[in-house]
Amino acid sequence: MSEYWLISAPGDKTCQQTWETMNNVTSKQGNLCENYKMHIPDLKVGTLDQLVGLSDDLGKLDTYVESITRKVAAYLGEVLEDQRDKLQENLLANNTDLPLYITRFQWDMAKYPIKQSLRNIADIISKQVGQIDADLKVKSSAYNSLKGNLQNLEKKQTGSLLTRNLADIVKREHFILDSEYLTTLLVIVPKALVQDWNGHYEKLTDMIVPRSTQCITQDQDFALYTVTLFKKVVDEFKLHAREKKFVVREFTYNEEELAAGKNEITKLVTDKKKQFGPLVRWLKVNFSECFCAWIHVKALRVFVESVLRYGLPVNFQAILIHPHKKSTKRLRDVLNQLYGHLDGSAASSGGSNADNVDIPGLGFGQSEYYPYVYYKLNIDMVESKM
């Protein structure tokens, strides 16, 4: 299960006692979950008004940072293409896998100095992730454009004779070149009409060179023929050919242009390979940045909500819970028994009065409300799209 619960409960005589009571009941005796202490440093509290305002803003920041984290992960999956099964192993936070990072969470003092106000720390995270989002748009747009151009060219190399690039198929000797009066056309003939073509192509218009047709190649549905005729009747020939369901391909044999076309594909393949490595590295680094920032936002939210709920001085224990599969309902009941006394209405309803809660600073805007501070954390960044 990739779902974790981040909760906090007020300190009993000591925070250690809060931790031991909760861990004994839910994990050691109940075997409902694995629990981990969440270490949140002594942050600057500020005023009550500031905390109430910040509570709402942190909720929005949480949603935003999570969405960018998932966006970076999803795009890394796209870029890996046929190596997408390696996505999970590329999604690391601080060079470690995601469960390990969150269960051993350490506040990053260098990036988010705790001497700053809570608002400033939130702003640092917002700017940092906003910059990653902006850079991702630029990088993904450039790479997608390159990839799209390459795919279009590759389609032309492999599609039906009606649409594919003919440069690799035709040769110089198939054409009358440098003639003042004559030209060679390429005609796509449905396979069912090959006999019709051979019997009638000379009669489609005047001034067609007799026995000038030659079959160059065929695919599943069509055959590619040449025909030589006078330049002056080309338009008339095209018209009568269309009536008979023969398609004249627009094509001029020019060796320089054909070579340039082949070079373009080679160049795009090379460019894509050159960009792939640095782009994957950038995505891995910035996924880590976003994910770590997201967990710091969660820690900020727990701190702010705990102060608003449990008051000053700051005295609460933050705990990260990893529920066992099929134990979530029982675990929720046990937590309500442990902490129901903190809020009578929530205890009696078991969290079901979520939609009616409108208490500033008490997790408003949350879909679930419990007598203890609670946030859900889903760290599955791959999902089942693979």
Side-chain angles (χ1 to χ4, degrees), residues 322-354:
H322 192 200
H324 292 161
K325 229 174 183 175
K326 297 181 181 170
S327 296
T328 51
K329 189 176 183 308
R330 174 83 189 110
L331 177 59
R332 189 67 79 191
D333 291 343
V334 169
L335 289 174
N336 277 338
Q337 282 163 24
L338 264 179
Y339 303 120
H341 65 279
L342 298 172
D343 181 313
S345 62
S348 60
S349 63
S352 63
N353 65 332

Side-chain angles (χ1 to χ4, degrees), residues 201-210 212 227-229 237:
Y201 78 92
E202 293 173 358
K203 301 169 192 161
L204 287 174
T205 180
D206 295 333
M207 307 180 87
I208 292 172
V209 177
S212 63
V227 61
T228 301
L229 65 167
F237 177 85

Side-chain angles (χ1 to χ4, degrees), residues 93-108:
N94 236 355
N95 296 317
T96 183
D97 68 28
L98 307 186
L100 203 59
Y101 175 80
I102 63 170
T103 54
R104 295 185 183 173
F105 175 75
Q106 293 290 328
W107 186 274
D108 190 330

Side-chain angles (χ1 to χ4, degrees), residues 53-65:
L54 191 59
S55 174
D56 193 24
D57 292 345
L58 284 174
K60 292 172 189 163
L61 183 61
D62 186 349
T63 305
Y64 173 64
V65 177

Side-chain angles (χ1 to χ4, degrees), residues 66-164:
E66 181 183 0
S67 74
I68 304 307
T69 306
R70 293 189 181 282
K71 201 200 261 188
V72 174
Y75 191 61
L76 178 54
E78 262 182 59
V79 170
L80 287 172
E81 292 179 37
D82 50 0
Q83 299 175 60
R84 192 186 156 81
D85 57 335
K86 294 190 174 139
L87 176 57
Q88 188 72 64
E89 66 197 62
N90 280 289
L91 295 176
L92 301 175
N94 236 355
N95 296 317
T96 183
D97 68 28
L98 307 186
L100 203 59
Y101 175 80
I102 63 170
T103 54
R104 295 185 183 173
F105 175 75
Q106 293 290 328
W107 186 274
D108 190 330
M109 301 286 183
K111 272 190 195 147
Y112 314 116
I114 59 171
K115 288 181 179 170
Q116 300 256 12
S117 69
L118 295 171
R119 171 69 67 188
N120 280 2
I121 295 171
D123 287 346
I124 290 168
I125 293 173
S126 180
K127 278 179 192 155
Q128 175 200 6
V129 174
Q131 188 58 56
I132 290 170
D133 187 25
D135 291 346
L136 177 65
K137 282 179 183 142
V138 172
K139 285 177 185 291
S140 61
S141 173
Y143 190 74
N144 289 350
S145 170
L146 176 63
K147 199 163 101 175
N149 290 342
L150 182 57
Q151 281 170 344
N152 288 338
L153 284 178
E154 283 171 342
K155 266 185 202 160
K156 288 179 180 173
Q157 298 294 92
T158 55
S160 135
L161 284 169
L162 277 175
T163 54
R164 70 174 289 179

